[in-house]
Amino acid sequence: MPSITPIPALTDNYIWLVASKYNAVVVDPADAAPVLRVLQEKNLHLQQIWITHEHQDHIAGIAELKQHFPDVVVYGASNIELVDKVLGEGGHFIWQNNVIEVWKTTGHTEHHLSYLLNISGCLNVFCGDTLFSAGCGRAFTQRPEWLFASLQRFNTLPENTLFYPAHEYTESNLHFAKKVEPQNEFIQAAINTLSIPSLPTTLLRERQINPFLRTNKFSVHQAAENFSGSTLVDEEAVFVALREWKNQG
Ligand SMILES: [Zn+2]
Protein backbone atom coordinates (compact mmCIF):
# COMPACT_ATOMS: atom_id res chain seq x y z
CA MET A 1 0.00 0.00 0.00
CA PRO A 2 1.47 3.41 -0.90
CA SER A 3 2.48 5.80 1.87
CA ILE A 4 2.10 9.59 1.64
CA THR A 5 4.48 11.93 3.47
CA PRO A 6 5.30 15.63 3.24
CA ILE A 7 8.70 16.94 2.17
CA PRO A 8 8.94 20.50 3.54
CA ALA A 9 10.36 22.98 1.03
CA LEU A 10 10.94 26.75 0.71
CA THR A 11 9.30 28.55 3.65
CA ASP A 12 5.91 26.88 3.87
CA ASN A 13 5.54 24.46 0.95
CA TYR A 14 4.90 20.76 1.17
CA ILE A 15 6.02 18.54 -1.68
CA TRP A 16 3.94 15.39 -1.17
CA LEU A 17 5.80 12.13 -1.62
CA VAL A 18 3.76 9.07 -2.60
CA ALA A 19 5.89 5.97 -2.21
CA SER A 20 5.53 2.27 -2.77
CA LYS A 21 8.33 -0.14 -1.92
CA TYR A 22 10.92 1.09 -4.44
CA ASN A 23 9.11 3.71 -6.49
CA ALA A 24 7.80 7.19 -5.90
CA VAL A 25 5.78 10.13 -7.10
CA VAL A 26 6.17 13.73 -5.99
CA VAL A 27 3.49 16.36 -6.25
CA ASP A 28 4.46 19.98 -7.03
CA PRO A 29 8.24 19.88 -6.54
CA ALA A 30 9.01 23.46 -5.55
CA ASP A 31 12.67 22.56 -5.15
CA ALA A 32 14.66 19.52 -6.28
CA ALA A 33 17.22 19.36 -3.45
CA PRO A 34 14.98 18.21 -0.59
CA VAL A 35 13.27 15.70 -2.91
CA LEU A 36 16.59 14.21 -4.04
CA ARG A 37 17.72 13.96 -0.43
CA VAL A 38 14.61 12.05 0.66
CA LEU A 39 14.59 9.77 -2.40
CA GLN A 40 18.21 8.85 -1.71
CA GLU A 41 17.58 8.23 2.00
CA LYS A 42 14.62 5.98 1.25
CA ASN A 43 16.23 4.42 -1.80
CA LEU A 44 13.30 5.32 -4.06
CA HIS A 45 13.12 5.68 -7.82
CA LEU A 46 11.13 8.70 -9.00
CA GLN A 47 8.63 7.53 -11.65
CA GLN A 48 6.11 10.36 -11.88
CA ILE A 49 5.66 14.03 -11.03
CA TRP A 50 2.13 15.43 -10.68
CA ILE A 51 1.73 19.20 -11.10
CA THR A 52 -1.34 21.06 -9.89
CA HIS A 53 -0.58 24.44 -11.45
CA GLU A 54 1.99 26.66 -13.02
CA HIS A 55 3.22 28.81 -10.13
CA GLN A 56 6.98 28.72 -9.62
CA ASP A 57 6.70 27.39 -6.07
CA HIS A 58 5.09 24.26 -7.54
CA ILE A 59 7.27 23.62 -10.60
CA ALA A 60 10.77 25.02 -9.97
CA GLY A 61 12.28 21.61 -9.16
CA ILE A 62 11.05 19.76 -12.26
CA ALA A 63 14.04 20.37 -14.56
CA GLU A 64 16.62 19.17 -12.05
CA LEU A 65 14.57 16.10 -11.12
CA LYS A 66 14.34 15.23 -14.83
CA GLN A 67 18.14 15.36 -15.05
CA HIS A 68 18.45 12.84 -12.22
CA PHE A 69 15.56 10.63 -13.40
CA PRO A 70 15.47 10.84 -17.22
CA ASP A 71 12.54 8.39 -17.44
CA VAL A 72 10.31 10.32 -15.02
CA VAL A 73 6.92 11.27 -16.48
CA VAL A 74 5.55 14.71 -15.62
CA TYR A 75 1.75 15.12 -15.54
CA GLY A 76 0.01 18.48 -15.63
CA ALA A 77 -1.99 21.01 -17.59
CA SER A 78 -1.14 22.22 -21.10
CA ASN A 79 0.18 25.60 -19.94
CA ILE A 80 3.25 24.10 -18.23
CA GLU A 81 6.25 23.70 -20.50
CA LEU A 82 7.96 20.71 -18.83
CA VAL A 83 4.83 18.53 -18.74
CA ASP A 84 5.09 15.22 -20.65
CA LYS A 85 1.45 14.08 -20.37
CA VAL A 86 -1.13 16.82 -20.66
CA LEU A 87 -4.21 16.39 -18.47
CA GLY A 88 -7.52 18.15 -18.02
CA GLU A 89 -10.93 17.53 -16.49
CA GLY A 90 -11.79 13.83 -16.43
CA GLY A 91 -8.25 12.73 -17.22
CA HIS A 92 -6.86 9.64 -15.60
CA PHE A 93 -3.69 7.61 -15.58
CA ILE A 94 -2.01 4.77 -13.71
CA TRP A 95 0.73 4.60 -11.10
CA GLN A 96 1.63 1.22 -9.57
CA ASN A 97 -1.79 -0.30 -10.32
CA ASN A 98 -3.58 2.74 -8.87
CA VAL A 99 -5.87 4.77 -11.09
CA ILE A 100 -5.46 8.51 -10.52
CA GLU A 101 -8.45 10.62 -11.42
CA VAL A 102 -7.97 14.24 -12.44
CA TRP A 103 -10.33 17.10 -11.72
CA LYS A 104 -9.96 20.59 -13.13
CA THR A 105 -10.33 22.71 -9.99
CA THR A 106 -10.20 26.16 -11.44
CA GLY A 107 -10.20 29.43 -9.49
CA HIS A 108 -6.73 29.90 -7.98
CA THR A 109 -5.44 29.65 -11.55
CA GLU A 110 -7.50 28.85 -14.62
CA HIS A 111 -5.88 25.47 -15.38
CA HIS A 112 -5.45 24.25 -11.80
CA LEU A 113 -5.74 20.45 -11.46
CA SER A 114 -6.33 18.17 -8.48
CA TYR A 115 -5.30 14.51 -8.32
CA LEU A 116 -7.55 11.92 -6.67
CA LEU A 117 -5.88 8.72 -5.52
CA ASN A 118 -7.97 5.93 -3.99
CA ILE A 119 -6.04 3.83 -1.46
CA SER A 120 -8.02 0.95 0.05
CA GLY A 121 -11.32 2.76 -0.37
CA CYS A 122 -10.11 6.08 1.05
CA LEU A 123 -9.72 9.03 -1.30
CA ASN A 124 -6.52 11.09 -1.14
CA VAL A 125 -6.78 14.43 -2.91
CA PHE A 126 -3.73 16.48 -3.90
CA CYS A 127 -5.43 19.83 -4.17
CA GLY A 128 -2.49 22.24 -4.66
CA ASP A 129 -3.58 25.79 -3.83
CA THR A 130 -7.33 25.21 -4.15
CA LEU A 131 -8.20 24.13 -0.60
CA PHE A 132 -6.06 24.76 2.47
CA SER A 133 -6.86 23.64 5.97
CA ALA A 134 -9.26 26.27 7.36
CA GLY A 135 -8.90 28.31 4.18
CA CYS A 136 -8.57 28.33 0.41
CA GLY A 137 -6.30 29.74 -2.26
CA ARG A 138 -6.44 33.25 -3.62
CA ALA A 139 -8.47 33.70 -6.78
CA PHE A 140 -5.73 34.90 -9.14
CA THR A 141 -8.23 34.34 -11.95
CA GLN A 142 -10.30 37.22 -10.48
CA ARG A 143 -13.15 34.69 -10.56
CA PRO A 144 -13.74 33.69 -6.92
CA GLU A 145 -17.00 32.04 -8.04
CA TRP A 146 -14.90 29.45 -9.91
CA LEU A 147 -13.02 28.71 -6.70
CA PHE A 148 -16.34 28.43 -4.87
CA ALA A 149 -17.52 25.84 -7.41
CA SER A 150 -14.28 23.85 -7.02
CA LEU A 151 -14.63 23.79 -3.23
CA GLN A 152 -18.28 22.84 -3.48
CA ARG A 153 -17.25 19.94 -5.68
CA PHE A 154 -14.74 18.79 -3.06
CA ASN A 155 -17.58 19.01 -0.56
CA THR A 156 -19.45 16.25 -2.42
CA LEU A 157 -16.73 13.70 -1.57
CA PRO A 158 -16.99 11.30 1.39
CA GLU A 159 -16.24 12.93 4.74
CA ASN A 160 -13.20 10.74 5.37
CA THR A 161 -11.52 12.06 2.20
CA LEU A 162 -7.98 13.23 2.94
CA PHE A 163 -6.74 16.51 1.45
CA TYR A 164 -3.06 17.28 0.85
CA PRO A 165 -2.69 21.03 0.18
CA ALA A 166 0.66 22.42 -0.96
CA HIS A 167 1.15 24.93 1.88
CA GLU A 168 1.25 25.03 5.67
CA TYR A 169 -1.08 28.00 6.10
CA THR A 170 -3.30 26.44 8.74
CA GLU A 171 -2.40 28.65 11.71
CA SER A 172 -3.06 31.98 10.01
CA ASN A 173 -6.17 30.53 8.36
CA LEU A 174 -7.51 29.46 11.75
CA HIS A 175 -7.10 33.00 13.08
CA PHE A 176 -9.13 34.31 10.17
CA ALA A 177 -11.70 31.53 10.71
CA LYS A 178 -11.99 32.63 14.33
CA LYS A 179 -12.66 36.21 13.24
CA VAL A 180 -15.53 34.91 11.09
CA GLU A 181 -16.91 32.57 13.77
CA PRO A 182 -15.71 33.54 17.27
CA GLN A 183 -18.12 31.04 18.84
CA ASN A 184 -17.05 28.00 16.79
CA GLU A 185 -15.62 25.54 19.31
CA PHE A 186 -13.99 23.37 16.62
CA ILE A 187 -11.92 26.35 15.43
CA GLN A 188 -10.79 27.15 18.98
CA ALA A 189 -9.92 23.50 19.61
CA ALA A 190 -7.95 23.39 16.35
CA ILE A 191 -5.97 26.49 17.44
CA ASN A 192 -5.27 24.94 20.85
CA THR A 193 -4.05 21.63 19.45
CA LEU A 194 -2.30 22.80 16.29
CA SER A 195 0.74 20.73 15.40
CA ILE A 196 3.06 21.05 12.42
CA PRO A 197 2.61 19.55 9.90
CA SER A 198 -1.11 20.17 10.24
CA LEU A 199 -1.77 18.21 7.05
CA PRO A 200 -3.31 16.16 5.59
CA THR A 201 -6.75 17.22 6.70
CA THR A 202 -10.12 15.51 6.24
CA LEU A 203 -13.27 16.81 4.62
CA LEU A 204 -15.09 16.23 7.93
CA ARG A 205 -12.64 18.50 9.75
CA GLU A 206 -12.82 21.19 7.06
CA ARG A 207 -16.60 21.17 7.27
CA GLN A 208 -16.15 22.06 10.95
CA ILE A 209 -13.41 24.71 10.75
CA ASN A 210 -13.16 26.07 7.21
CA PRO A 211 -15.31 29.17 6.65
CA PHE A 212 -15.03 28.69 2.88
CA LEU A 213 -16.84 25.35 3.23
CA ARG A 214 -19.30 26.77 5.76
CA THR A 215 -21.02 29.34 3.56
CA ASN A 216 -24.36 27.61 4.31
CA LYS A 217 -24.06 28.40 8.05
CA PHE A 218 -26.00 31.30 9.51
CA SER A 219 -23.03 32.51 11.57
CA VAL A 220 -20.76 32.65 8.51
CA HIS A 221 -23.43 34.26 6.34
CA GLN A 222 -24.03 36.95 8.97
CA ALA A 223 -20.32 37.67 9.47
CA ALA A 224 -19.81 37.99 5.70
CA GLU A 225 -22.77 40.40 5.46
CA ASN A 226 -21.36 42.47 8.31
CA PHE A 227 -18.05 42.66 6.46
CA SER A 228 -19.56 43.57 3.09
CA GLY A 229 -22.23 45.90 4.47
CA SER A 230 -24.81 44.45 2.10
CA THR A 231 -27.27 41.59 1.79
CA LEU A 232 -25.68 38.46 0.37
CA VAL A 233 -28.25 36.51 -1.61
CA ASP A 234 -26.61 33.09 -1.84
CA GLU A 235 -23.68 30.94 -0.73
CA GLU A 236 -21.58 32.03 -3.68
CA ALA A 237 -22.00 35.68 -2.65
CA VAL A 238 -21.00 34.74 0.91
CA PHE A 239 -17.91 32.98 -0.43
CA VAL A 240 -16.91 35.96 -2.58
CA ALA A 241 -17.27 38.30 0.42
CA LEU A 242 -15.21 35.97 2.63
CA ARG A 243 -12.46 35.77 0.02
CA GLU A 244 -12.39 39.56 -0.20
CA TRP A 245 -12.27 39.84 3.61
CA LYS A 246 -9.40 37.35 3.79
CA ASN A 247 -7.50 39.25 1.07
CA GLN A 248 -7.61 42.36 3.23
CA GLY A 249 -6.78 40.66 6.51
ZN1 LIG B 1 -0.30 28.93 -6.54
Side-chain angles (χ1 to χ4, degrees), residues 52-58 108-109 112 128-129 132 138 140 167:
T52 62
H53 67 292
E54 69 274 21
H55 287 156
Q56 271 305 310
D57 61 332
H58 297 254
H108 175 68
T109 64
H112 192 294
D129 290 357
F132 297 124
R138 283 177 185 265
F140 287 115
H167 292 278

Side-chain angles (χ1 to χ4, degrees), residues 37 75 96 104 136 138 155 187 195 214 219 227 230:
R37 203 177 311 130
Y75 292 83
Q96 296 281 314
K104 184 174 178 184
C136 68
R138 283 177 185 265
N155 207 9
I187 293 169
S195 61
R214 294 175 57 77
S219 51
F227 165 77
S230 58

Side-chain angles (χ1 to χ4, degrees), residues 67-87:
Q67 284 173 6
H68 283 81
F69 298 95
D71 59 346
V72 71
V73 181
V74 183
Y75 292 83
S78 59
N79 62 334
I80 301 163
E81 203 184 318
L82 291 171
V83 159
D84 301 308
K85 301 271 188 199
V86 171
L87 297 165

